[in-house]
Amino acid sequence: MDLKKRYEELKKQNFPDSERIKFIADLGASEEIEYHYQLICTDRDEGTNLNLSGSFYKHDKEGLEFLFEVLDNEDDENLKVFIAYLMAETLSKLRHRDFYLEFCNKLILVMTSLIETKDAILRQKIIISLGWIGSSNEIDIFTKKISEDKDSLCRAWSASSLMQMSFHGVEKELLCEKSKSCLALAIAKEDDLYACGIMIESAQILFGKKWISSSAVEDVDAEKIEKARKSAVRFLNK
């Protein structure tokens, strides 16, 4: 049965998990790049959260070239951010490929041109995805966003993206050196407790400390966040 028929059958059955997972794998292994992208867009529009993008990386270089072409011909800001996010997610699974750096550099230019969008949700998506593929050149973008962005989640995800970069080949010592004073100031003055917790958690991973648990951050436990804030600020100001 071809992919389109299988998709329609799965839709009638409300996408049972085991069948859906096999379908996603087969979609990635196929040469139907455009159809795969169309389904990812449909999934977004219908809010079905099928995770169809999870296997897009299997299209390898051809998949990314297709997305670059779509991106070049797109003027709508929402869609540009959506495509850039998909590309960063795809690239993050292709670090071993020889085209990885060239494609990252090309995509980073697009992302940095979009990062000042007035739409906070779009900024959040760009910040998160830039953390997956960013290089040491982007550290200053994140420290600026931590200090200056008017949206608390943009500030939080900027700290988180700095931490993410330490897992993706950016030297941890450099990240610590360039972000220490910025994180100290931001954690001290952050008035949104959840954002403050995310910043503290990101800093503790970067600096190898243990000030707060993930559950305390998720639960927005004010007492634990305030206690951790004091410890983090004391350390970062040393």
Side-chain angles (χ1 to χ4, degrees), residues 48-111:
T48 34
N49 296 323
L50 300 175
N51 192 31
L52 294 165
S53 62
S55 66
F56 198 88
Y57 75 96
K58 291 187 174 183
H59 299 304
D60 203 59
K61 190 177 184 181
E62 290 74 16
L64 286 160
E65 284 170 342
F66 168 81
L67 292 177
F68 267 123
E69 197 173 324
V70 175
L71 190 59
D72 286 344
N73 294 309
E74 187 53 67
D75 294 320
D76 180 83
E77 192 178 61
N78 271 285
L79 277 173
K80 281 174 95 83
V81 171
F82 173 73
I83 298 161
Y85 188 93
L86 172 59
M87 291 178 80
E89 180 189 15
T90 302
L91 271 166
S92 70
K93 296 171 183 170
L94 294 169
R95 296 182 194 285
H96 59 291
R97 302 291 280 119
D98 56 5
F99 55 79
Y100 173 75
L101 272 179
E102 180 200 338
F103 280 26
C104 280
N105 291 337
K106 196 173 164 188
L107 183 58
I108 286 165
L109 286 175
V110 177
M111 290 178 149

Side-chain angles (χ1 to χ4, degrees), residues 1 57 68 99 124 139 144 148 155:
M1 193 188 299
Y57 75 96
F68 267 123
F99 55 79
Q124 288 166 25
I139 296 173
K144 188 169 185 282
E148 297 174 13
R155 297 192 296 272

Side-chain angles (χ1 to χ4, degrees), residues 165-177:
M165 286 163 77
S166 71
F167 301 139
H168 302 148
V170 180
E171 199 182 314
K172 191 180 266 195
E173 289 76 9
L174 181 65
L175 282 165
C176 290
E177 180 194 323

Side-chain angles (χ1 to χ4, degrees), residues 119-160:
D119 186 316
I121 290 167
L122 295 184
R123 283 205 309 283
Q124 288 166 25
K125 286 183 84 78
I126 288 291
I127 287 164
I128 290 166
S129 49
L130 193 53
W132 297 335
I133 63 162
S135 69
S136 56
N137 298 328
E138 282 65 63
I139 296 173
D140 291 346
I141 291 175
F142 292 129
T143 55
K144 188 169 185 282
K145 286 279 163 207
I146 292 167
S147 307
E148 297 174 13
D149 203 288
K150 289 182 167 57
D151 179 72
S152 63
L153 282 179
C154 285
R155 297 192 296 272
W157 301 145
S158 295
S160 182

